[in-house]
Amino acid sequence: MNELTTDLKLLHEATLNNLKSSKANNTLRAYKSDFKDFGAFCAKHGLNSLPSEPKIVSLYLTHLSKNSKISTLRRRLVSISTVHKLKGHYLDTKHPIIVENLMGIRRVKGSIQKGKKPLLINHLKLIIDVINKQKIEEIKKLRDKTIILVGFGGGFRRTELISIDYEDLEFVTEGLKISIRRSKTDQFGEGMLKGLPYFTNENYCPVANLKNWLQISKIKSGPIFRRFSKGSILTENRLTDQSVVLLIKEYLKLAGIENKNFAGHSLRSGFATVAAESGADERSIMAMTGHKTTQMVRRYIKEANIFKNNALNKIKM
């Protein structure tokens, strides 16, 4: 009996490890952070956070709804549910008290979600032009231009962008192939391949700028986007994803563009929006951005065509 109990205990531990391994480390950290907030709410009101029950979770969601978006509420619900699973507890997130409460909150608040602004072609050109005018070392100008152009041209998430290594690159006649070893939606590490063709205008061409960057930086292995130390000395250290956000915001401001609603995601959403405006279909957009569902891509396409297919165009004034 003791031997059977030991075996079951080992199986239980192995199962919990499998559940943890099914999620990326960043995702697990986000779950823990979300659950910490739920735990604080429960402690304040003398409620149990683990294991919890649908009624308590529903109260927490109502509490959150005062200052949070619907998307935040849904993410917190997933986090609470996942932590319960990892700890061996069951929580019925489909219970009517949770589902109907969310529906009511959604009706009261409205379901339109405002995301970060996409970085469009006019923004991109203004940024590159303003970088060229900066009184800084050419090597820093070239790095910053390359980050933004490659990020936009490949529809990259900022974490994917700063994770690119020299070994992931293959220059071919048509342009550049970039191997993405792992991304946010690729939890099993299957990877994907992105192709960036040459642009006619070399000034805005991600492939041409990347070639120049690799030549001037003399990078032959490891991270291609690195930090500078004082005196514009290139280090071996990889840039952080937050650095991408700061660069975008800095150069938008220098170009005279309000930068409050732009972020690292603006490169990816900008590519999708511009591609949709140019007539690219959702499948080809998804092949580049790595979106797993059509929902978000269709939103980009809808927004891109808001004036193109506008019924008001048919009215003669």
Side-chain angles (χ1 to χ4, degrees), residues 173-234:
T173 306
E174 299 82 2
L176 171 67
K177 293 179 182 179
I178 304 179
S179 297
I180 309 301
R181 286 165 291 172
R182 192 160 194 160
S183 66
K184 182 181 177 181
T185 55
D186 179 26
Q187 300 296 339
F188 298 104
E190 295 173 357
M192 68 178 296
L193 190 65
K194 297 194 181 194
L196 277 64
Y198 284 104
F199 285 14
T200 304
N201 190 331
E202 283 197 8
N203 189 39
Y204 306 116
C205 177
V207 183
N209 276 271
L210 180 56
K211 273 188 170 181
N212 292 338
W213 163 243
L214 292 174
Q215 185 175 7
I216 195 173
S217 66
K218 296 181 173 58
I219 292 173
K220 296 295 181 183
S221 64
I224 62 169
F225 296 128
R226 305 178 181 187
R227 304 179 206 175
F228 287 105
S229 62
K230 288 183 179 180
S232 294
I233 298 170
L234 191 64

Side-chain angles (χ1 to χ4, degrees), residues 264-316:
H265 184 69
S266 297
L267 291 170
R268 187 166 178 251
S269 61
F271 164 83
T273 303
V274 171
E277 283 178 346
S278 303
D281 60 60
E282 61 186 43
R283 183 176 295 180
S284 60
I285 294 173
M286 289 171 69
M288 186 68 89
T289 61
H291 281 98
K292 294 298 182 184
T293 64
T294 59
Q295 183 181 359
M296 199 66 215
V297 175
R298 285 177 180 172
R299 177 177 159 185
Y300 293 138
I301 293 173
K302 184 178 179 181
E303 289 181 6
N305 292 325
I306 194 169
F307 291 107
K308 190 182 294 184
N309 300 325
N310 196 310
L312 196 57
N313 291 331
K314 304 294 182 182
I315 298 175
K316 306 296 181 184

Side-chain angles (χ1 to χ4, degrees), residues 22-232:
S22 73
K23 307 295 181 186
N25 289 334
N26 286 344
T27 306
L28 286 173
R29 280 194 290 271
Y31 288 160
K32 288 178 182 177
S33 175
D34 286 346
F35 193 82
K36 185 178 179 181
D37 187 72
F38 174 62
F41 168 81
C42 291
K44 181 180 178 180
H45 297 283
L47 304 169
N48 291 330
S49 61
L50 193 72
S52 193
E53 57 182 284
K55 182 180 178 180
I56 294 173
V57 174
S58 190
L59 288 171
Y60 173 66
L61 295 176
T62 301
H63 160 74
L64 273 186
S65 68
K66 297 171 187 175
N67 300 303
S68 302
K69 298 185 292 186
I70 292 293
S71 59
T72 301
L73 270 61
R74 293 191 183 282
R75 194 195 74 222
R76 291 286 173 90
L77 182 58
V78 170
S79 297
I80 294 166
S81 174
T82 302
V83 171
H84 271 71
K85 288 177 185 175
L86 291 174
K87 296 298 182 180
H89 301 295
Y90 172 72
L91 176 66
D92 183 10
T93 57
K94 299 296 183 183
H95 192 285
I97 198 170
I98 292 178
V99 174
E100 292 179 19
N101 188 30
L102 274 175
M103 288 174 63
I105 292 170
R106 185 175 178 180
R107 286 196 181 99
V108 171
K109 293 178 71 70
S111 59
I112 295 177
Q113 303 292 319
K114 275 199 170 182
K116 294 297 181 180
K117 285 185 177 180
L119 197 74
L120 304 178
I121 288 292
N122 60 317
H123 300 132
L124 189 72
K125 289 184 174 180
L126 285 170
I127 286 175
I128 300 306
D129 292 346
V130 85
I131 292 175
N132 285 331
K133 293 174 184 175
Q134 295 308 298
K135 294 179 180 179
I136 55 177
E137 290 78 0
E138 286 300 319
I139 189 170
K140 188 175 187 304
K141 286 186 187 179
L142 194 48
R143 185 204 64 175
D144 293 354
K145 286 192 296 181
T146 305
I147 289 169
I148 292 168
L149 288 170
V150 171
F152 175 88
F156 282 102
R157 294 181 177 87
R158 61 188 185 183
T159 51
E160 295 171 350
L161 185 61
I162 56 97
S163 297
I164 300 172
D165 288 341
Y166 182 86
E167 292 77 11
D168 301 324
L169 308 175
E170 182 186 355
F171 290 95
V172 293
T173 306
E174 299 82 2
L176 171 67
K177 293 179 182 179
I178 304 179
S179 297
I180 309 301
R181 286 165 291 172
R182 192 160 194 160
S183 66
K184 182 181 177 181
T185 55
D186 179 26
Q187 300 296 339
F188 298 104
E190 295 173 357
M192 68 178 296
L193 190 65
K194 297 194 181 194
L196 277 64
Y198 284 104
F199 285 14
T200 304
N201 190 331
E202 283 197 8
N203 189 39
Y204 306 116
C205 177
V207 183
N209 276 271
L210 180 56
K211 273 188 170 181
N212 292 338
W213 163 243
L214 292 174
Q215 185 175 7
I216 195 173
S217 66
K218 296 181 173 58
I219 292 173
K220 296 295 181 183
S221 64
I224 62 169
F225 296 128
R226 305 178 181 187
R227 304 179 206 175
F228 287 105
S229 62
K230 288 183 179 180
S232 294

